[in-house]
Amino acid sequence: MTHLVFFCGHAGTGKTTLAKNLHGPLTKASGTPFCLLDKDTLYGGYSAAAMAMLTGDPNDRDSPLFLQHLRDPEYRGLLDTARDNLELGVSALVVGPLSREVRERRLFDRAWLGVGAEVVIRVVWVYTSEETARQRIVKRANPNDAYKLAHWDEYRQRRFVPSGAICDDLLMFDNTAPASADYQTLLARIVDEPQAAAIMPPVPV
């Protein structure tokens, strides 16, 4: 049995760090190897080259042009890579905002994902306050965030916290200042084994 685990959420919420912290414990708890597929790692260089050619700004990841023409192909390639690994018996941790897909419940749609009933799907929504996220974005000083910071009022309109029916089966994780017990609980919910929390090592907080 393989697992397809999504770590979704807006910029600055700590999705990649969370996925990396859980990689080893998930591998041990599930008994299956995991690959880590981070959208920025897989497509950052390609998108930088494309945007430099199109607009002269290699760090643009939030303009209407990028969102209209490059966003969806990036995500499709990310999911295609995950599916290739699943077919080889390798579980996948997929990291990316995927906010539209969460809102539209696509990550629970096996036909849209192209995966069978034998794949365990878990979707984690990683969140923190707007101010905390902005502070983290400023601190990490990633050039790809320049557009967000320069157009914050525009960008913040895209931020949301899932609610209502969107939250069905969604694993919500407040990543503002999580304790080790919070990581343990999330691990157990991902693998659906309460005893799995016992193998989660302490995580620096």
Side-chain angles (χ1 to χ4, degrees):
M1 181 178 292
T2 51
H3 292 68
L4 176 58
V5 185
F6 293 96
F7 290 87
C8 312
H10 301 299
T13 55
K15 302 180 294 295
T16 301
T17 300
L18 177 61
K20 288 180 177 179
N21 283 339
L22 290 177
H23 178 272
L26 277 171
T27 297
K28 185 175 181 179
S30 66
T32 178
F34 274 83
C35 66
L36 174 67
L37 303 176
D38 187 303
K39 184 178 78 71
D40 290 340
T41 302
L42 286 173
Y43 294 102
Y46 171 82
S47 293
M51 293 307 293
M53 181 178 65
L54 293 171
T55 68
D57 181 3
N59 301 313
D60 178 1
R61 296 296 187 280
D62 293 279
S63 70
L65 187 148
F66 176 86
L67 295 174
Q68 182 177 353
H69 295 288
L70 291 183
R71 177 197 185 275
D72 288 351
E74 280 193 355
Y75 281 130
R76 180 48 57 190
L78 187 68
L79 294 173
D80 289 345
T81 305
R83 189 167 54 251
D84 282 349
N85 279 275
L86 292 168
E87 290 173 355
L88 294 172
V90 179
S91 295
L93 303 182
V94 177
V95 182
L98 288 157
S99 54
R100 185 188 308 166
E101 289 73 15
V102 168
R103 193 192 296 270
E104 296 175 357
R105 301 278 300 169
R106 289 185 175 184
L107 302 185
F108 295 101
D109 184 340
R110 292 181 180 273
W112 186 82
L113 292 171
V115 301
E118 74 283 358
V119 177
V120 177
I121 298 173
R122 296 288 185 266
V123 183
V124 182
W125 181 263
V126 188
Y127 67 97
T128 189
S129 70
E130 177 184 333
E131 182 56 30
T132 298
R134 191 176 191 282
Q135 290 174 1
R136 290 176 179 175
I137 291 172
V138 171
K139 183 177 180 180
R140 71 189 184 189
N142 187 327
N144 292 343
D145 294 323
Y147 189 97
K148 291 183 183 69
L149 294 174
H151 303 82
W152 190 259
D153 286 342
E154 171 192 328
Y155 168 71
R156 69 192 299 269
Q157 299 304 314
R158 304 207 310 265
R159 289 178 50 89
F160 73 99
V161 176
S163 60
I166 296 175
C167 291
D168 290 350
D169 299 320
L170 198 63
L171 303 181
M172 302 290 291
F173 188 81
D174 185 348
N175 206 26
T176 303
S180 290
D182 298 315
Y183 293 104
Q184 293 167 354
T185 298
L186 179 60
L187 173 66
R189 294 182 70 190
I190 290 174
V191 298
D192 201 23
E193 293 287 348
Q195 63 269 27
I199 71 170
M200 181 73 196
V203 176
V205 295

